[in-house]
Amino acid sequence: MDKELINTENIDEISIKRIIDGLTGFISGSKADYAHSANRLLKSLFAHDFLFQLQKEWDKYVDRGNIDLDYKKSKPFLNSLSELMDYLDTDLPNDEIALTLKKLFFIPAFKDYYKEDKLLAIEYMKIIRKLTPGEMVVLFTAYNNVGISTDSASKWLEIIAEKSTLKYTELVELHEKKLIDLNLITKRKYEDNSGLWVGKYSRLTSLGYNLCHFIKLYDEFNER
C-alpha cells in the first residue's frame, strides 16, 4: 500500500541545509541580514517538525482504513497539499494556524465522511492563512456561542471578550475588522456603528459559520 504523503527522506537534507545556511547567515551576514536569517531558520525548524507529524498522522489514518486513497490522486488533494507547503515556505509559522490548516487538509481525505465539494477545503485554507490567531479566537468564540441574541455592538464585544481568552473588548474590536473585511461576520449598522446585523447565525455570515463547521468536522471524526 502506498501510504507516503511526502518524501520524508529529503526533509532532513533540506532542513539541515537551511539550518546551516541560517546559522551561517548569523555568523557571516551583515546586521541587516540577521532578521532574515533568523526567520528562515525558524521556518525550517517548524516545517521539519510539522511535516513529520503530518506524515505520522496520515499513516495512522491509512492503517485504520480511514483515508480514501483515490483522493490522493486527485487535483483537490494536490492543491491542498500545495497550499500547506506554501504556508510553511512563505508565512511566519504559527501553531494554531498550522493546526487548522492541517484539519482542513485531512477532512476531504476521510473515507465516506465528507461528501461536499472537496475544493471548498482549499478556499477555506486560503481564508485561514489571512487570519491571525486572535482573529480566529473571535471567529470560533462567535461560532461556539451562536445563541447570542443581541444587536448591540458593544454588548457583542463584551460577550466575545468574556467567553474567549482575549479579555478586553478593545482587543475583540481590533480583530473584528478583519473578519468583517473577509465576510466572515456581518457589518455594523447605524451611523454611529452601535448596532449589528445579527442574521441567521448570531452575526456570523453563512461563510463564517460553515468555515467553522467544516473545521469542527475533524474533531467530530476523531471523537467517533
Side-chain angles (χ1 to χ4, degrees):
M1 179 186 299
D2 178 18
K3 294 195 302 182
E4 189 172 63
L5 178 63
I6 50 177
N7 187 353
T8 52
E9 291 181 358
N10 293 330
I11 294 176
D12 277 323
E13 296 179 13
I14 295 171
S15 298
I16 290 171
K17 182 180 184 303
R18 287 182 177 176
I19 290 168
I20 292 173
D21 288 345
L23 292 173
T24 303
F26 280 119
I27 297 168
S28 62
S30 65
K31 195 170 184 179
D33 293 332
Y34 287 174
H36 176 72
S37 297
N39 183 45
R40 183 173 57 182
L41 176 60
L42 286 172
K43 287 199 293 186
S44 297
L45 292 170
F46 186 91
H48 180 275
D49 291 342
F50 180 83
L51 291 174
F52 269 108
Q53 289 301 318
L54 186 72
Q55 181 69 63
K56 185 177 179 180
E57 191 165 346
W58 179 269
D59 291 345
K60 177 185 75 174
Y61 288 127
V62 170
D63 290 341
R64 290 179 180 177
N66 297 140
I67 295 292
D68 178 5
L69 292 178
D70 288 335
Y71 172 66
K72 185 181 171 184
K73 305 170 187 175
S74 70
K75 187 173 181 180
F77 169 82
L78 294 175
N79 287 342
S80 61
L81 182 59
S82 175
E83 196 70 34
L84 257 184
M85 300 299 286
D86 187 62
Y87 167 75
L88 296 174
D89 191 51
T90 62
D91 294 359
L92 290 174
N94 176 271
D95 287 336
E96 189 62 33
I97 300 297
L99 174 61
T100 304
L101 290 173
K102 184 192 72 172
K103 291 179 178 181
L104 289 168
F105 171 78
F106 270 108
I107 292 166
F110 290 145
K111 187 187 296 182
D112 301 326
Y113 186 63
Y114 181 71
K115 300 295 186 183
E116 294 184 36
D117 189 344
K118 296 180 185 293
L119 288 172
L120 264 179
I122 301 160
E123 295 299 320
Y124 289 154
M125 291 173 87
K126 291 180 185 296
I127 293 173
I128 291 297
R129 288 184 60 179
K130 295 177 182 177
L131 298 178
T132 65
E135 288 157 359
M136 286 184 58
V137 168
V138 173
L139 180 65
F140 277 95
T141 302
Y143 174 79
N144 291 327
N145 293 275
V146 164
I148 296 174
S149 59
T150 180
D151 61 357
S152 164
S154 60
K155 184 62 177 177
W156 187 87
L157 294 173
E158 289 175 9
I159 293 172
I160 298 300
E162 178 185 342
K163 292 185 176 294
S164 70
T165 56
L166 294 176
K167 187 178 179 180
Y168 301 104
T169 58
E170 294 85 355
L171 268 179
V172 177
E173 190 169 15
L174 282 175
H175 296 313
E176 172 196 35
K177 295 174 183 176
K178 174 70 82 58
L179 299 177
I180 292 173
D181 289 343
L182 291 174
N183 293 317
L184 298 174
I185 63 175
T186 61
K187 298 177 181 180
R188 296 196 188 189
K189 64 179 180 178
Y190 306 136
E191 289 185 5
D192 61 357
N193 286 325
S194 63
L196 298 176
W197 297 101
V198 179
K200 182 179 179 180
Y201 301 112
S202 301
R203 205 188 174 188
L204 285 174
T205 63
S206 293
L207 174 61
Y209 179 86
N210 286 298
L211 168 60
C212 293
H213 179 70
F214 189 100
I215 293 167
K216 287 291 185 180
L217 290 175
Y218 177 92
D219 299 321
E220 292 174 8
F221 181 85
N222 280 285
E223 290 170 0
R224 294 195 308 177

